[in-house]
Amino acid sequence: MRRHLRLYLTAARFDLVEHARNRLAMVLVALFIPSWISLAYAVIPSRPLTFRLRATGRLLEPAGNQITQITGAINAVTLITGFMMFAVTFNGGRFDRRLAMAGFPRFHLVLAKTTSLALASGAIAVYATGVICTAWSPRQPVQLAAALFCGAMAYGALGVVFGSLLRREVEGMFALVMTSLVDAGLQSPLASVGTNSAAVQFLPTYGTMQAATAAGFTHTPLPGGLAVQILWFAGAALLGLLAFHRRTKDALTTRSSFHRPWLARYRRPAAPARATSTPR
């Protein structure tokens, strides 16, 4: 039991160190999130915007700059988290294979990546919620942070999928950026007022948008929106697990073939056959 715990903690430490070395991601978290949220609040007019919240059917009239802040926070949090997990998966592919060859079970490696994703998502979600609270007071700040956390987890899992399947870094970055732009653009109340298309319910952050909007302007809890995001995370995590399993399978095969000659070295040689005399 202690050995499994030690292997898990070691793998988790490696992932967290890799995140900390991603200076661009740290700069984006520290500067891009507050800058984008503050600009949305300062530039967008504060006149009320009327739209219907799909999850509850209730008409809302929030200030335009406030709802834009929530949309911008979702876009920033999910995109940065997806970028962080893509970078650690894409750049750490060889290191993951080396850990597998060294005897680390793949379950421990996957659990370590999930732990680092949860810690990064939680920290970024709380940070973005705190920035929003400096401008105005959401009705349910805890639910707002939970919605941002669930959306970040889903996009982090998508980042693992892109990092495991795509061959070039530019392909993964383009896939993440375009997915986030389409996702946030189609759901933004400023761009989709009056649309009744049910297609938006299948977007990756639909549950996050519904839960975060309800948290900002109503007192109604919306656990269903969080549940939808958990399902998105579970589906993306399953795809990432399959891709990770395929990527490290070659390493385990190499490891077994590498150790086979060494095991043969230490085998006890067979006793020589005794010579038997045959009668003449």
Side-chain angles (χ1 to χ4, degrees):
M1 188 66 177
R2 291 182 178 179
R3 176 179 175 274
H4 290 288
L5 180 61
R6 178 173 56 84
L7 291 176
Y8 159 70
L9 292 177
T10 302
R13 179 169 58 85
F14 286 151
D15 282 336
L16 291 175
V17 169
E18 192 67 24
H19 282 308
R21 289 179 177 176
N22 192 343
R23 297 182 179 179
L24 177 59
M26 297 299 104
V27 171
L28 291 175
V29 171
L31 299 180
F32 177 71
I33 290 180
S35 300
W36 170 225
I37 294 177
S38 301
L39 281 174
Y41 187 80
V43 174
I44 301 299
S46 60
R47 62 175 178 267
L49 177 67
T50 304
F51 68 96
R52 186 178 301 275
L53 186 63
R54 289 178 176 271
T56 62
R58 179 177 174 181
L59 280 175
L60 302 178
E61 293 184 357
N65 53 359
Q66 294 177 356
I67 189 61
T68 304
Q69 272 196 316
I70 290 181
T71 305
I74 294 173
N75 180 236
V77 167
T78 55
L79 188 57
I80 291 175
T81 309
F83 164 68
M84 291 176 63
M85 294 306 298
F86 169 78
V88 75
T89 304
F90 185 85
N91 297 326
R94 294 181 180 179
F95 188 65
D96 290 335
R97 287 191 288 269
R98 290 174 61 187
L99 289 178
M101 292 178 63
F104 276 74
R106 283 176 288 182
F107 175 78
H108 295 68
L109 298 178
V110 172
L111 187 61
K113 289 188 180 298
T114 306
T115 301
S116 64
L117 170 59
L119 293 176
S121 300
I124 295 174
V126 171
Y127 178 59
T129 304
V131 174
I132 292 176
C133 290
T134 59
W136 55 284
S137 298
R139 305 286 180 87
Q140 302 178 75
V142 175
Q143 180 171 303
L144 176 58
L148 294 176
F149 170 77
C150 292
M153 291 288 288
Y155 263 79
L158 288 177
V160 174
V161 174
F162 293 150
S164 300
L165 296 179
L166 299 180
R167 299 297 183 183
R168 292 187 296 178
E169 192 169 3
V170 66
E171 296 175 356
M173 295 304 301
F174 180 79
L176 278 173
V177 171
M178 293 306 298
T179 302
S180 180
L181 286 177
V182 173
D183 187 11
L186 292 179
Q187 292 192 78
S188 174
L190 292 178
S192 60
V193 173
T195 60
N196 295 317
S197 176
V200 296
Q201 300 180 12
F202 301 99
L203 294 174
T205 57
Y206 172 77
T208 292
M209 180 65 74
Q210 299 298 307
T213 305
F217 309 107
T218 71
H219 292 286
T220 303
L222 203 62
L226 303 180
V228 170
Q229 285 306 127
I230 293 175
L231 290 177
W232 261 99
F233 165 72
L238 179 59
L239 291 177
L241 177 61
L242 294 176
F244 183 80
H245 176 85
R246 183 183 127 190
R247 188 176 63 177
T248 55
K249 184 178 180 180
D250 297 336
L252 294 179
T253 304
T254 304
R255 175 174 173 261
S256 61
S257 62
F258 175 78
H259 284 288
R260 213 169 282 151
W262 291 93
L263 292 175
R265 244 177 102 181
Y266 294 99
R267 287 179 183 171
R268 181 179 296 178
R274 295 182 180 179
T276 57
S277 60
T278 57
R280 296 180 180 177

